[in-house]
Amino acid sequence: MRYYLRKFGFYLAALWAAVTLNFFIPRMMPGDPVSILMAKLQQRGGSVNPEARRAYELLLGTDTGEPLARQYLSYLGNMLHGDFGISVSAYPVPVSEVIATSLPWTVVLVGIATVLSVLVGTGLGMLVGWRRGTWLDALVPATTVLAAVPYFWLALVLVAVLGSALGWFPLIGGYDVDFTPGWNLDFLGSAVHHGVLPALTIVISSVGGWLLGMRNMMVSTLSEDYVLTATAKGLPNRRVMIWYAARNAALPSIAGFAISLGFVVAGSIVTEQVFSYPGIGSKLLEAVQNNDYALMQGIFLVTTVAVLGANLVVDLLYSVIDPRTRAGANA
């Protein structure tokens, strides 16, 4: 019990620190979101008098005349009530609505791509590690080269070949504009069709890292006594490979997978920009460009909670999968 209480206490402290940084860092950036919004209103013929500016400062929570400590307390109170403010870049839409409309796109795209990368990379790494020294092992450097290729370059290559030259997939967007978003087959089919190239970019770029990590752990695990004993007993190679070697070699991959799931919420900003995909990464970049404090804070908070939650889950899973970690912490 003391082990679990210590873990929960640590993650609560980490969450408080992240929330505090989430409040101060945007306010340390140069520029003023109210000035940006006032400039947009002026371009549309709106009023830019001091009274209007003061009203927008209060609305957006950027009141420069209010003490920073009071702003911080107001920020914490609003956050606990799920009120993240109004987005400047999507004015007058609330931040929670902006996140709610863009987050599912990213979670589905990056989530599925991450799961595929882990399954394919870990499976291939298990086979390559089991057959180390064969021709399969010689192919590992090719996968590491793919992992080193920049996302945007690989995305542009896929767009040029599979999208522009062959015409198999759409070049940009998350769905065909002729369809209305909803739970119908036409829209879902269009969304899947538009998501193939971004997902393929993520899978190709990520699978090499999972393959190399699993391969190295397999090679290390195969020299352990329990694997050698199982082999000496005459157990089938398939059983030794999966239940004795791969089962233990996959422990670091489980931790990495949980952390990757946490970062799924943050999206892949470069990939979403190349394909003009309507995900959370594009909204984050738009928020930074417009000094949209409220939207930046909302996205950072959701990402932070997701990453800390994923780390907490993997810590608790580790204590179940490998009891030595719990025993060492209680010692």
Side-chain angles (χ1 to χ4, degrees), residues 4-330:
Y4 296 109
L5 291 177
R6 186 185 305 172
K7 286 294 181 183
F8 280 110
F10 170 79
Y11 281 103
L12 284 176
L15 178 61
W16 172 80
V19 167
T20 302
L21 290 174
N22 193 24
F23 171 80
F24 284 104
I25 289 179
R27 286 163 173 76
M28 296 171 62
M29 297 175 60
D32 181 7
V34 176
S35 298
I36 295 175
L37 180 58
M38 299 300 286
K40 291 182 178 179
L41 292 175
Q42 189 175 17
Q43 291 174 355
R44 301 172 184 174
S47 174
V48 292
N49 56 62
E51 291 78 11
R53 180 182 181 86
R54 175 64 177 169
Y56 283 114
E57 286 180 349
L58 295 174
L59 177 64
L60 299 175
T62 59
D63 183 10
T64 55
E66 187 179 21
L68 198 60
R70 185 173 297 177
Q71 293 183 40
Y72 177 66
L73 293 177
S74 299
Y75 159 75
L76 292 179
N78 293 334
M79 183 189 66
L80 291 176
H81 290 88
D83 181 10
F84 300 116
I86 304 296
S87 171
V88 173
S89 53
Y91 184 83
V93 181
V95 169
S96 56
E97 187 175 332
V98 175
I99 295 177
T101 54
S102 57
L103 186 59
W105 291 94
T106 294
V107 170
V108 172
L109 171 68
V110 185
I112 292 176
T114 300
V115 171
L116 288 176
S117 300
V118 173
L119 292 178
V120 174
T122 303
L124 292 177
M126 177 185 67
L127 293 176
V128 172
W130 179 258
R131 299 182 179 276
R132 63 192 184 283
T134 64
W135 64 272
L136 287 174
D137 214 4
L139 298 178
V140 173
T143 61
T144 57
V145 169
L146 290 176
V149 171
Y151 264 36
F152 70 90
W153 186 86
L154 180 59
L156 291 174
V157 170
L158 292 178
V159 166
V161 176
L162 300 181
S164 181
L166 299 177
W168 291 352
F169 302 102
L171 301 180
I172 59 174
Y175 60 94
D176 196 322
V177 294
D178 294 334
F179 298 118
T180 301
W183 295 102
N184 55 79
L185 292 178
D186 291 335
F187 171 75
L188 294 177
S190 177
V192 170
H193 193 209
H194 280 74
V196 170
L197 281 184
L200 190 60
T201 302
I202 298 173
V203 170
I204 293 176
S205 299
S206 306
V207 71
W210 295 107
L211 190 155
L212 183 62
M214 184 63 180
R215 181 262 177 200
N216 292 338
M217 286 303 303
M218 279 289 292
V219 171
S220 176
T221 305
L222 288 175
S223 61
E224 296 290 340
D225 292 339
Y226 54 84
V227 177
L228 298 177
T229 302
T231 304
K233 287 182 177 179
L235 296 178
N237 287 338
R238 183 184 180 88
R239 183 177 180 183
V240 175
M241 178 180 67
I242 296 176
W243 292 104
Y244 287 84
R247 185 179 179 182
N248 291 278
L251 287 177
S253 296
I254 294 175
F257 175 62
I259 296 173
S260 297
L261 286 182
F263 280 106
V264 161
V265 177
S268 179
I269 297 177
V270 176
T271 303
E272 291 182 9
Q273 279 298 110
V274 171
F275 294 99
S276 296
Y277 198 78
I280 201 73
S282 299
K283 294 299 181 183
L284 178 57
L285 183 60
E286 185 179 343
V288 172
Q289 292 172 341
N290 291 282
N291 284 350
D292 192 344
Y293 292 171
L295 185 53
M296 278 190 285
Q297 288 177 169
I299 294 175
F300 289 154
L301 179 63
V302 171
T303 303
T304 299
V305 171
V307 173
L308 290 177
N311 278 274
L312 176 59
V313 169
V314 76
D315 272 350
L316 298 179
L317 282 178
Y318 247 99
S319 65
V320 176
I321 297 173
D322 190 357
R324 293 173 299 179
T325 58
R326 187 172 65 249
N330 292 328

